[in-house]
Amino acid sequence: MKKATRITDIPCLHDEILGVIFSRLPVKTLLRLKSLCKSYCDLISSPWFITLHRKRFSSDPDNHCIFVQTGEINGLIRIQNPSNLIKLNEPCTTNYTVIGSINGLICLVTSIASRQLICLWNPSINQYKMFPMHNENPQETRKCDISMGFGYEKGSDDYKVIRVLSYKTGWPLTIVEIYSTNSDSWKEVKFDSRVKLNTCFCNVIVEGLTYWIAKDLDGSTVLASFVWSIENFFIFPLPEEVITKSQTFVATNYHGSFALLAYSSPSKFKACVDVWEIELDISAEDCEWKKMNTFHTDFGFSMHWGLTGGDIVVENAPNMPFLFNMTTKQMWEMGINPILTLSNYTESLVSINGFRRVRNQLKRRRKASNPVRARLS
């Protein structure tokens, strides 16, 4: 009988060719391939391959997921199978809040033993890093509003966390604290405030930019854009039509760009969603809004969230939330209710310095829920 060919007997392919082939595989498969041989491990762990794989997966809507919190359970929902909630091995055993997600990393804020901590977590590779706030109690000296954001600076390949402290009185009115994963440290930036951030966390994250819907000093609704490469805020007005004609609007990452989804409903069974995209000219501190599309529906809804691939999640209480493709008009019931928070997510191999493996919380929960296993242990 002819001997089976071993993996080490297969003629070697050039790393670039092998990388293109491997970049089409899911993270779970790639992690198994890393254990087959050292050359595979070196290739899959290399920065150029991690970037290639990330770009390929993020560009294909079929690979997109949604990270959902319902209050009782958290998990991933794949766009291709929206009725199935995938439970995750979470790094935090206590309650946490999602700040945002980009390139496969999810940024969380949680409290452990009365201390506020930030957690960067890649559920695809089951690793995380946790670190404390720069200044845990900023309100001890002056009352302030606090908002947090997460982002990625492509030029330095650096993932950063931002905390904006907006004080009521005194100077400086605003202090921005920035944490860099490359330096593993915080720094402060002080400047006069021109806006008040409306939310505790950022609204949208795209590569190089983090966005908030905010209020300026006159009370007008504006877009606050934080540019990571120069670490500064830029303030831009919203389209007049969105302010005056839409009933509600949400900010979203729409096919990799910032966009507003403006909703209006002239009747109970008719509605439309306008998609507005922005072109920024940071050097001139100017912008141009363009209405890219208008989608009509034969139903109204009370809540909606935009997804990177162009779909929306729609909620019309007390009905079950559903995924809606605005182009094809197809609907898929999601099977979860209610939705507290929702974030775009795409799996990746991205890792940062200081990452460590998440303990197997799922196994511990199953064991605790099984009285026979609990006694045997």
Side-chain angles (χ1 to χ4, degrees):
M1 182 181 292
K2 189 176 180 180
K3 291 184 179 180
T5 303
R6 295 177 300 169
I7 190 71
T8 53
D9 294 332
I10 297 176
C12 291
L13 292 173
H14 195 281
D15 277 357
E16 289 186 8
I17 298 174
L18 201 58
V20 171
I21 296 171
F22 282 3
S23 68
R24 301 175 185 274
L25 300 175
V27 170
K28 190 174 182 179
T29 303
L30 292 172
L31 294 179
R32 291 173 177 170
L33 284 173
K34 286 178 69 174
S35 64
L36 287 180
C37 64
K38 186 178 184 301
S39 61
Y40 284 3
C41 182
D42 291 343
L43 171 64
I44 294 168
S45 303
S46 64
W48 76 266
F49 177 79
I50 291 173
T51 301
L52 175 66
H53 181 270
R54 171 177 63 80
K55 289 181 176 179
R56 182 180 293 278
F57 261 63
S58 62
S59 65
D60 185 354
D62 289 345
N63 296 322
H64 293 175
C65 302
I66 314 166
F67 181 78
V68 178
Q69 291 183 289
T70 67
E72 295 183 358
I73 190 170
N74 309 317
L76 285 180
I77 293 176
R78 298 191 182 278
I79 299 297
Q80 295 301 304
N81 187 13
S83 61
N84 181 37
L85 182 69
I86 303 168
K87 294 181 181 179
L88 298 173
N89 192 30
E90 299 165 289
C92 308
T93 55
T94 57
N95 291 334
Y96 59 81
T97 305
V98 176
I99 298 175
S101 172
I102 188 171
N103 296 345
L105 295 182
I106 300 176
C107 183
L108 319 170
V109 60
T110 186
S111 295
I112 298 178
S114 73
R115 291 189 67 196
Q116 269 204 322
L117 299 171
I118 296 171
C119 176
L120 300 182
W121 170 39
N122 186 338
S124 300
I125 61 175
N126 197 36
Q127 294 188 2
Y128 78 106
K129 178 179 182 177
M130 203 170 288
F131 51 92
M133 298 284 188
H134 178 54
N135 178 11
E136 291 194 40
N137 298 302
Q139 291 185 324
E140 284 184 347
T141 54
R142 290 186 289 159
K143 289 187 177 180
C144 66
D145 295 320
I146 301 174
S147 187
M148 299 187 66
F150 183 47
Y152 173 64
E153 185 186 342
K154 181 180 178 180
S156 57
D157 190 28
D158 197 3
Y159 293 88
K160 297 182 178 182
V161 179
I162 180 174
R163 188 165 72 150
V164 184
L165 311 176
S166 301
Y167 288 94
K168 311 289 186 182
T169 59
W171 192 92
L173 287 177
T174 301
I175 295 178
V176 174
E177 300 172 343
I178 299 173
Y179 173 84
S180 162
T181 57
N182 283 355
S183 65
D184 190 24
S185 63
W186 288 91
K187 71 175 182 179
E188 282 190 3
V189 180
K190 302 176 182 179
F191 57 89
D192 286 329
S193 175
R194 290 186 289 158
V195 295
K196 180 182 184 303
L197 304 182
N198 291 347
T199 58
C200 294
F201 303 103
C202 59
N203 296 102
V204 178
I205 301 170
V206 299
E207 192 171 277
L209 297 156
T210 300
Y211 295 91
W212 284 260
I213 301 298
K215 294 282 188 183
D216 65 13
L217 298 181
D218 297 325
S220 300
T221 304
V222 295
L223 176 66
S225 171
F226 190 81
V227 183
W228 289 103
S229 59
I230 58 177
E231 295 182 346
N232 199 5
F233 271 108
F234 291 86
I235 312 303
F236 303 102
L238 296 187
E240 187 67 23
E241 184 177 331
V242 171
I243 300 296
T244 58
K245 295 185 179 180
S246 64
Q247 293 174 234
T248 61
F249 64 87
V250 295
T252 185
N253 182 331
Y254 187 77
H255 297 292
S257 300
F258 177 87
L260 294 174
L261 303 183
Y263 166 79
S264 58
S265 178
S267 66
K268 184 177 181 180
F269 301 107
K270 294 290 181 181
C272 70
V273 177
D274 295 326
V275 180
W276 292 83
E277 290 191 13
I278 188 172
E279 292 184 5
L280 297 179
D281 185 347
I282 298 300
S283 59
E285 297 189 30
D286 196 10
C287 74
E288 180 182 1
W289 289 97
K290 292 183 179 180
K291 186 192 291 189
M292 305 303 294
N293 218 329
T294 297
F295 298 97
H296 297 275
T297 70
D298 56 2
F299 58 88
F301 43 86
S302 56
M303 290 283 289
H304 65 295
W305 295 266
L307 305 181
T308 306
D311 297 336
I312 61 173
V313 173
V314 172
E315 185 174 75
N316 197 2
N319 301 321
M320 192 70 71
F322 57 89
L323 183 67
F324 179 63
N325 186 302
M326 294 191 290
T327 304
T328 64
K329 311 296 184 186
Q330 289 180 289
M331 299 184 195
W332 300 269
E333 193 172 273
M334 296 183 67
I336 55 170
N337 198 16
I339 296 176
L340 296 185
T341 66
L342 180 153
S343 304
N344 290 292
Y345 182 80
T346 305
E347 67 176 62
S348 79
L349 292 160
V350 171
S351 178
I352 59 173
N353 293 331
F355 255 10
R356 56 181 178 174
R357 191 168 184 81
V358 180
R359 297 176 64 186
N360 198 332
Q361 304 291 352
L362 291 175
K363 185 176 180 181
R364 289 161 64 93
R365 290 190 197 109
R366 286 195 297 268
K367 188 175 180 180
S369 63
N370 188 325
V372 176
R373 282 188 178 182
R375 287 197 299 270
L376 290 176
S377 62

